[in-house]
Amino acid sequence: MLDFVHGEDFAFEGEVVATADDENRNRQAVYALDTKSGKTIWRTPTVNSVKNRMLLVGDRIVAVDAEGFFFALAASDGHEIWRHQLRFSPSVELSAPALAPDGRTVVAGVGERMMSVDAQTGNVNWSGGKFPIGEPSPIRPDIADGKILSVVNWRGTFLSDLQTGALLWKRNDNPPERYPGPDPVIRDGKAIAFGSTSVVEYDLKTGEQIRRVECGVSFVMPCGRPLFAEGRWIVGTSRAGIVALDAATYKVLWRGKVGPALVGLSAYRPSGSLDVNTEPVMLPNGLVAAAAVDGAIHVWRLSDGEHVREIRTGVPYLAGVAVQGDALFAADLHGNVRRFKV
């Protein structure tokens, strides 16, 4: 399985960087591929496989592997710049690292494993969050306004101080946080969490619940950061393809169709569900794209959800697509990386 570096500009001087999850043959590594030819530019082995999204922070790639090694590689040649290990946990480390608005502070892990590091120097700012680890999940925290917003399977929603890691408040309104799905978001002084079938807003300062809105779709599968565009949230679901939610009311504006999943991913769901467990991305001309577990990349019109294109390859996609200019890159479950023109 492969996943891409995620950043405002994921390509570094003609490279697209992906991670290979192939630990059964001890081939787990981070790869840099030439964006035009697809040839390998460099390959850096990792202690264990990276099972989440990586970050491009300036000229370095920041990632966390399954054993909790939190590290940075030079985007130019892949050499390791710094490495730390998160506090021990018997569970696999799946959480994705997050970048603070200052463009250099990176945070990885959840709960007692959380760590803040200066991406440029590698110095640890602090280590150890003040809330429980919970069940492993690839959900990435959001950082804004000097706060870290985290959601943990079965444990709830937690807000921490970015400077110290101190816990500011916690909520466990069950549901929706029992089965969190899309990444939580800080926006307009609110903490927004997506739960089993609803969206809940909390006051960022106090943690008091502002409202909970039932959406009528299932969010029980982690599917990356929701895409905000033209007053709506575009998010993946576990049984309804992709949906557009009105950002003011959370009313479902449209549902984007996908085919039945080729493999079962979400808890208590068999293969055949209409799953989209990847981050949607914007394309030119008001279009939205996402890779799905049905073995295809789908494109919808943002305004009304019309399904305008399908690129079928027949292999499930567990990683999101990446866009650079007129090129779309996709990596499938079998380890193939493809480039398409958009």
Side-chain angles (χ1 to χ4, degrees):
M1 184 180 73
L2 291 165
D3 202 357
F4 289 111
V5 163
H6 289 249
E8 185 175 344
D9 184 2
F10 78 91
F12 180 82
E13 298 181 358
E15 299 177 1
V16 57
V17 182
T19 175
D21 179 352
D22 199 6
E23 70 270 30
N24 289 332
R25 291 183 289 178
N26 200 31
R27 298 198 308 181
Q28 64 275 6
V30 178
Y31 289 81
L33 309 177
D34 184 278
T35 55
K36 293 183 178 180
S37 68
K39 294 182 179 180
T40 300
I41 299 172
W42 54 259
R43 172 185 179 274
T44 301
T46 53
V47 177
N48 207 315
S49 57
V50 177
K51 299 181 181 294
N52 51 41
R53 290 152 286 167
M54 300 179 288
L55 290 173
L56 179 63
V57 184
D59 60 354
R60 54 203 60 191
I61 297 153
V62 177
V64 184
D65 76 8
E67 290 188 33
F69 285 102
F70 184 17
F71 60 91
L73 306 178
S76 58
D77 60 12
H79 78 266
E80 186 174 275
I81 300 173
W82 52 259
R83 184 203 295 183
H84 303 287
Q85 187 166 21
L86 307 182
R87 291 187 178 182
F88 173 77
S89 170
S91 62
V92 174
E93 182 57 53
L94 298 178
S95 63
L99 177 65
D102 64 9
R104 62 184 297 165
T105 302
V106 286
V107 176
V110 295
E112 298 164 357
R113 302 192 80 184
M114 189 177 287
M115 179 183 290
S116 171
V117 175
D118 185 310
Q120 295 303 310
T121 66
N123 293 334
V124 176
N125 300 317
W126 49 263
S127 178
K130 309 303 180 185
F131 58 95
I133 295 173
E135 301 294 328
S137 172
I139 296 173
R140 177 176 55 193
D142 195 23
I143 304 176
D145 302 331
K147 311 291 192 301
I148 307 169
L149 179 63
S150 304
V151 174
V152 182
N153 271 344
W154 291 88
R155 300 301 179 109
T157 300
F158 303 85
L159 192 77
S160 306
D161 184 88
L162 176 60
Q163 298 301 316
T164 66
L167 181 64
L168 301 176
W169 54 257
K170 60 181 179 180
R171 293 293 179 269
N172 187 10
D173 304 314
N174 186 25
E177 289 87 354
R178 182 179 178 184
Y179 302 119
D183 296 344
V185 177
I186 297 174
R187 189 175 182 86
D188 299 329
K190 301 173 184 176
I192 303 171
F194 296 79
S196 298
T197 58
S198 58
V199 181
V200 63
E201 291 181 347
Y202 299 101
D203 183 279
L204 190 62
K205 293 183 178 180
T206 66
E208 294 300 315
Q209 185 181 124
I210 299 172
R211 60 174 171 165
R212 180 193 299 170
V213 179
E214 179 64 40
C215 298
V217 294
S218 175
F219 297 118
V220 300
M221 180 174 61
C223 52
R225 183 177 176 85
L227 171 66
F228 182 79
E230 297 185 9
R232 59 196 70 188
W233 293 107
I234 313 299
V235 297
T237 73
S238 67
R239 287 196 285 181
I242 201 166
V243 299
L245 305 176
D246 184 285
T249 65
Y250 300 113
K251 177 183 178 181
V252 176
L253 301 177
W254 53 259
R255 302 187 184 198
K257 69 173 185 177
V258 298
L262 300 179
V263 294
L265 290 180
S266 55
Y268 315 114
R269 297 287 187 275
S271 60
S273 295
L274 306 181
D275 296 341
V276 175
N277 74 315
T278 63
E279 291 186 4
V281 298
M282 283 299 302
L283 301 180
N285 303 317
L287 300 177
V288 177
V293 197
D294 66 353
I297 299 163
H298 298 268
V299 181
W300 302 271
R301 194 159 57 201
L302 176 63
S303 59
D304 59 9
E306 180 180 350
H307 192 254
V308 299
R309 187 181 180 190
E310 178 180 306
I311 306 171
R312 181 160 294 280
T313 60
V315 183
Y317 288 97
L318 308 188
V321 298
V323 177
Q324 177 71 18
D326 65 351
L328 181 147
F329 299 89
D332 65 30
L333 181 61
H334 287 180
N336 304 301
V337 180
R338 297 180 174 90
R339 172 177 171 160
F340 303 95
K341 186 175 182 179
V342 297

